[in-house]
């Protein structure tokens, strides 16, 4: 904290001195008793805070976060959306880029924020610990740079979460044992609070106090575990200006759709005169799967400051789409365009493609143990896969195995480029729903231009999947419903100003095409950001080899990298 204060003081006098660009944080992982929905329980937190502390930096800053594990669980943290250019050792997914930080150990994450500004978030990346271990990452523009919109009066992080009365670790552990779906959450939260729509929770309500006639920047973060969300504020429209720490062409909307893993900055212009009313901010799920889901609504209050009139009862509620409003979601998603203004953000869309991939994503099954019946479909266990491979995490970290050239017995690089047995992906489900298992990766040279089509399957029912790629942003060049048509669909690709993100919702019963350049050496995880699907194997990893220049090579591991 001292370093940060020093930094701010100096930089107000000088112009961004080099000595001022390191931000030090200490994250102590500790148990903390908290009460929600009238039940007190001990949860795992950073520094006793839920949601966790804000990490604030400027574009170009180096960030050092010392994580000290003082709980009995293994821990890793991930800086979701941070490019981690040549700092893959700090990315964080357990058994992918690092072994966990074990009880009593510590590890310092070390990365520099390059070419990004906006909102991202940090979260645990092991088992389901991110349900309570998460917090905002706020990246301010460089000192001499402005926003591409008028400077807001105030900035407010709004982080959505999902709360279980039970221990989320027990919830996923039980589900993996029985083979069935995990128990759904008991509430959604806004900045850690469920609000008055839940029993015994009205005291636990987030309130945003605003002044009339001002513009607020809301930094929306979906940190929920398994649910995409609709969000809106009664009687107010929102202007979307940024997604996943990249500026977009502004557009206004009364409802925001946000998948787990996505972040969106919106401008809220308050009414010019004090209204005698309270406005509800609400979020509720967008859900397309066959199983049960938490169908509740979380609410918070938008209140105008100042002498409040007698008429305190006027409360307005926003109208949100139905839980399965897929057409609304598709229309909303298509409005995102990169700002593509040379002063702020250029859409560097790869125009030519070196390697094409076609990946199916969806659910399937694995057999139950002999002689027993499991709780998944027809007595099997639920599984999930990419190109029918359900990804098994190794007992050591893939990045270390790659760096030390010891892949033998740990992983192979034969991940299928296309489905091995093509079928009608979104048609009548096939009889055989079994997935295969393996730790299979794709290995690519540095600076390969990749086009990847992600195709949802209807094997166990069509469902949208928020796919997240580590280490890169990608451009969403096309999307549609049904099966991808490799002849006609590319004719409609947007190669001019497509939105650049790190997480994309693969449409339910549809496909999405993305492009990215492998300009970052390392091992990069890609997975569904529904944690239940990740746990079931909807994950894989890309190896990006070193380039010829020293500046294109992954440095050796830091001395304190945890061991397995
Ligand atoms: C949490 O509460 C339990 C019992 O209610 C108590 O034993 C424990 O010491 C508390 N833990 C912390 C970290 O305060
Ligand atoms: C946490 O820290 C305290 C004080 O340093 C120590 O007594 C305790 O054993 C630690 N617990 C764990 C689980 O590391
Ligand atoms: C971090 O780990 C090192 C090496 O085990 C140890 O010397 C140091 O005391 C630890 N620091 C904290 C704050 O736990
Ligand atoms: C952080 O990483 C950079 C780049 O690899 C390295 O030069 C620096 O020494 C590291 N700092 C710490 C405190 O580990
Ligand atoms: C801010 O400073 C950097 C580094 O000196 C420079 O590259 C950039 O063009 C400047 N931006 C503006 C908007 O002046
Ligand atoms: C809020 O919107 C409702 C429905 O559109 C309208 O009836 C009401 O007058 C509005 N209230 C305020 C204070 O804007
Ligand atoms: C709000 O209430 C005050 C006092 O009751 C009244 O003077 C004012 O006109 C009301 N404003 C609106 C927008 O209804
Ligand atoms: C979800 O709840 C809403 C009302 O809050 C209800 O209309 C809808 O049918 C529910 N959907 C499901 C799938 O339970
Ligand atoms: C949404 O669900 C309702 C039942 O709750 C159903 O009647 C409706 O057809 C569904 N809409 C879509 C677009 O699937
Ligand atoms: C989505 O857009 C299409 C085409 O513009 C339109 O026909 C449809 O009504 C829209 N759906 C919703 C829910 O807005
Ligand atoms: C399954 O049942 C058969 C017949 O009852 C028995 O021979 C076999 O050992 C059992 N297998 C397992 C894994 O329990
Ligand atoms: C923690 O991680 C280590 C290294 O992978 C592993 O051996 C150990 O079993 C894990 N402990 C727990 C409690 O999961
Ligand atoms: Cu999924």
């Amino acid at each position: 904290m001292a370093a940060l204060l020093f930094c701010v003081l100096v930089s107000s006098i000088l112009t961004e001195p080099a000595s001022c660009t390191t931000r030090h944080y200490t994250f102590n992982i500790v148990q903390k008793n908290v009460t929600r929905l009238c039940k007190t329980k001990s949860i795992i937190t950073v520094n006793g805070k839920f949601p966790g502390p804000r990490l604030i930096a400027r574009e170009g800053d180096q960030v050092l976060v010392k994580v000290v594990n003082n709980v009995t669980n293994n821990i890793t943290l991930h800086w979701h959306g941070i490019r981690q250019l040549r700092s893959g050792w700090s990315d964080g997914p357990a058994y992918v880029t690092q072994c966990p930080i074990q009880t009593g150990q510590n590890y310092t994450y070390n990365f520099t924020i390059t070419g990004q500004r906006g909102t991202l978030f940090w979260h645990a990346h092991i088992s389901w610990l991110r349900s309570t271990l998460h917090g905002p990452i706020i990246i301010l523009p460089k000192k001499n740079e402005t926003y591409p919109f008028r400077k807001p009066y105030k900035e407010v992080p709004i982080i959505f979460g999902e709360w279980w009365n039970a221990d989320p670790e027990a919830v996923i552990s039980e589900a993996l044992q029985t083979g069935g779906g995990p128990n759904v959450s008991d509430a959604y939260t806004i900045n850690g609070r469920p609000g008055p729509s839940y029993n015994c929770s009205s005291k636990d309500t987030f309130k945003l106090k605003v002044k009339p006639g001002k513009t607020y920047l809301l930094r929306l973060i979906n940190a929920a575990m398994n649910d995409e969300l609709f969000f809106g504020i009664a009687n107010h429209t929102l202007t979307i200006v940024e997604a996943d720490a990249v500026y977009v062409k502004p557009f206004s909307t009364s409802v925001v759709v946000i998948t787990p893993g996505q972040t969106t900055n919106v401008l809220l212009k308050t009414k010019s005169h004090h209204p005698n009313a309270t406005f509800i901010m609400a979020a509720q799920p967008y859900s397309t799967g066959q199983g049960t889901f938490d169908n509740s609504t979380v609410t918070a209050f938008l209140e105008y400051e100042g002498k409040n009139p007698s008429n305190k009862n006027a409360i307005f509620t926003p109208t949100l789409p139905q839980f399965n409003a897929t057409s609304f979601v598709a229309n909303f998603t298509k409005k995102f365009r990169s700002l593509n203004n040379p002063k702020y953000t250029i859409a560097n869309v790869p125009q030519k493609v070196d390697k094409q991939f076609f990946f199916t994503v969806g659910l399937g099954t694995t057999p139950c143990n002999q002689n027993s019946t499991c709780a998944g479909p027809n007595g099997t266990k639920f599984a999930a896969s990419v190109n029918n491979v359900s990804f098994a995490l190794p007992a050591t970290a893939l990045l270390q195995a790659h760096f030390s050239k010891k892949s033998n017995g740990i992983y192979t690089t034969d991940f299928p480029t296309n489905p091995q047995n093509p079928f009608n992906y979104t048609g009548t489900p096939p009889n055989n729903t079994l997935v295969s298992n393996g730790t299979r990766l794709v290995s690519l040279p540095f600076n390969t231009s990749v086009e990847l089509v992600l195709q949802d399957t209807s094997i166990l029912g069509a469902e949208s999947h928020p796919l997240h790629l580590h280490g890169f942003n990608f451009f969403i060049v096309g999307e549609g419903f049904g099966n991808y048509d490799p002849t006609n669909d590319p004719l409609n690709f947007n190669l001019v100003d497509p939105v650049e993100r790190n997480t994309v919702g693969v449409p339910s019963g549809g496909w999405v095409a993305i492009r990215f350049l492998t300009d970052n050496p390392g091992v990069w995880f890609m997975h569904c950001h529904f944690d239940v699907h990740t746990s079931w194997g909807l994950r894989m990893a890309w190896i990006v080899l070193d380039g010829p220049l020293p500046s294109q090579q992954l440095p050796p591991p830091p001395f304190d990298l945890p061991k397995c």
Side-chain angles (χ1 to χ4, degrees):
M1 224 41 205
L4 202 141
L5 280 177
F6 176 72
C7 185
V8 170
L9 287 175
V10 172
S11 62
S12 62
I13 307 162
L14 306 167
T15 54
E16 209 67 23
S19 65
C20 170
T21 57
T22 300
R23 312 265 173 166
H24 292 265
Y25 285 88
T26 300
F27 279 15
N28 286 309
I29 313 290
V30 292
Q31 296 282 154
K32 171 86 179 172
N33 285 343
V34 302
T35 304
R36 292 291 183 280
L37 311 174
C38 273
K39 295 184 181 68
T40 301
K41 69 170 190 167
S42 175
I43 64 168
I44 300 177
T45 66
V46 165
N47 301 345
K49 293 202 167 117
F50 174 75
R54 295 170 192 180
L55 196 158
I56 304 174
R58 272 187 199 284
E59 176 182 350
D61 286 354
Q62 182 197 34
V63 177
L64 293 171
V65 188
K66 179 169 193 166
V67 178
V68 183
N69 184 357
N70 196 238
V71 298
T72 56
N73 306 62
N74 283 336
I75 299 290
T76 73
L77 295 187
H78 168 54
W79 319 93
H80 182 111
I82 296 279
R83 289 282 326 267
Q84 299 293 1
L85 290 164
R86 299 179 63 233
S87 56
W89 304 109
S90 288
D91 191 38
Y95 304 107
V96 178
T97 63
Q98 68 165 102
C99 297
I101 307 167
Q102 297 182 38
T103 306
Q105 295 182 348
N106 61 77
Y107 176 49
T108 299
Y109 291 87
N110 171 2
F111 54 90
T112 296
I113 301 175
T114 308
Q116 298 182 282
R117 78 299 297 162
T119 304
L120 296 169
F121 68 122
W122 58 266
H123 64 74
H125 214 305
I126 181 165
S127 192
W128 273 27
L129 295 178
R130 82 173 178 85
S131 57
T132 59
L133 281 173
H134 60 250
I137 297 180
I138 293 165
I139 311 170
L140 302 170
K142 287 181 178 167
K143 217 41 209 186
N144 65 340
E145 287 179 2
T146 56
Y147 291 123
F149 40 84
R150 226 175 74 200
K151 190 174 159 40
Y153 173 67
K154 267 193 181 145
E155 304 190 2
V156 185
I158 303 276
I159 190 158
F160 304 107
E162 216 169 337
W163 181 263
W164 276 264
N165 286 330
D167 173 9
E169 287 301 279
V171 171
I172 183 57
S173 154
E174 188 207 354
L176 293 178
Q177 259 163 33
T178 64
N183 291 340
V184 301
S185 50
D186 295 289
Y188 296 105
T189 54
I190 291 180
N191 289 344
R193 300 174 184 280
S197 65
Y198 297 98
N199 278 342
C200 200
S201 179
S202 47
K203 269 194 278 179
D204 232 345
T205 304
F206 175 70
K207 286 182 185 155
L208 175 59
K209 304 257 191 202
V210 294
K211 289 193 161 74
K214 305 275 188 205
T215 300
Y216 292 77
L217 179 69
L218 308 185
R219 296 173 174 272
L220 309 182
I221 299 165
N222 189 349
M225 296 295 279
N226 299 314
D227 295 272
E228 300 184 42
L229 294 170
F230 294 116
F231 170 72
I233 306 178
N235 297 69
H236 291 76
T237 54
L238 302 168
T239 303
I240 298 202
V241 291
E242 181 248 287
D244 295 1
V246 183
Y247 295 129
V248 298
K249 292 193 173 80
F251 67 93
S252 68
T253 182
S254 56
V255 175
V256 177
V257 184
I258 187 165
T259 79
Q262 289 184 333
T263 48
T264 306
N265 279 0
V266 301
L267 297 176
L268 164 71
K269 193 158 180 355
T270 55
K271 297 187 176 297
S272 53
H273 299 289
H274 194 300
N276 294 334
T278 291
F279 302 97
I280 289 181
M281 307 196 265
Q284 64 188 46
Y286 163 55
S287 176
T288 51
Q290 303 288 298
T292 52
F293 61 99
D294 179 348
N295 188 25
S296 64
T297 302
V298 55
T299 55
F301 293 137
L302 178 76
E303 289 178 350
Y304 281 73
E305 280 176 5
K307 280 219 171 58
N308 227 340
S310 47
N311 167 10
K312 264 203 158 178
N313 306 339
I315 297 183
F316 297 98
T317 306
T319 307
L320 297 177
Q322 234 192 330
F323 73 94
N324 55 356
T326 293
S327 161
F328 179 92
V329 171
N331 289 2
F332 174 80
T333 308
K334 282 181 188 145
K335 289 184 187 150
F336 284 79
R337 291 271 187 280
S338 175
L339 180 63
N340 198 26
N341 172 338
K343 198 168 169 226
Y344 299 101
T345 304
I346 309 170
N348 256 323
V349 194
Q351 298 292 315
K352 67 163 184 58
V353 171
D354 300 322
K355 284 282 272 177
Q356 273 177 321
F357 296 88
F358 182 86
F359 290 177
T360 57
V361 296
L363 302 191
T365 59
T366 52
C368 199
N369 292 336
Q370 240 183 337
N371 297 350
S372 43
T373 303
C374 287
N378 301 317
T380 64
K381 289 183 154 192
F382 272 115
S385 67
V386 181
N387 273 352
N388 210 42
V389 181
S390 185
F391 190 86
L393 288 175
T396 182
L398 294 169
L399 186 59
Q400 275 143 301
H402 162 66
F403 185 82
S404 56
K405 302 191 165 59
K406 287 182 185 148
S407 60
N408 221 345
I410 296 171
Y411 68 83
T412 56
T413 54
D414 60 348
F415 191 87
T417 305
N418 289 282
Q420 279 160 327
N421 303 301
F423 61 102
N424 180 358
Y425 308 111
T426 53
T428 309
N431 289 332
N432 184 352
T433 59
L434 288 178
V435 300
S436 71
N437 264 280
T439 309
R440 300 166 69 181
L441 281 67
V442 175
S443 177
L444 291 172
F446 189 82
N447 261 342
T448 306
S449 159
V450 174
E451 181 177 283
L452 167 63
V453 174
L454 295 160
Q455 171 76 59
D456 181 35
T457 69
S458 57
I459 296 174
L460 292 184
E463 180 170 11
S464 93
H465 299 276
L467 262 285
H468 171 53
L469 177 63
H470 291 225
F472 305 92
N473 281 342
F474 48 74
F475 292 95
I476 303 175
V477 297
E479 58 195 299
F481 290 109
N483 294 340
Y484 173 67
D485 174 347
T487 310
N488 294 309
D489 285 328
L491 302 175
N492 298 319
F493 282 180
N494 176 2
L495 302 179
V496 178
D497 64 351
V499 67
E500 179 182 344
R501 311 200 69 137
N502 63 57
T503 304
V504 60
V506 178
S508 177
W511 56 272
V512 62
I514 65 175
R515 287 191 183 181
F516 63 98
L517 183 70
T518 63
D519 59 357
N520 193 10
V523 177
W524 303 109
F525 208 25
M526 189 176 83
H527 60 95
C528 184
H529 222 277
F530 288 159
D531 269 56
V532 55
H533 293 177
T534 307
S535 301
W536 286 339
L538 211 170
R539 53 193 180 189
M540 55 82 66
W542 305 81
I543 296 177
V544 174
L545 303 172
D546 283 345
L549 305 175
S551 65
Q552 301 172 338
Q553 291 164 8
L554 179 71
F559 75 96
D560 57 346
L561 186 73
K563 294 182 175 54
C564 281

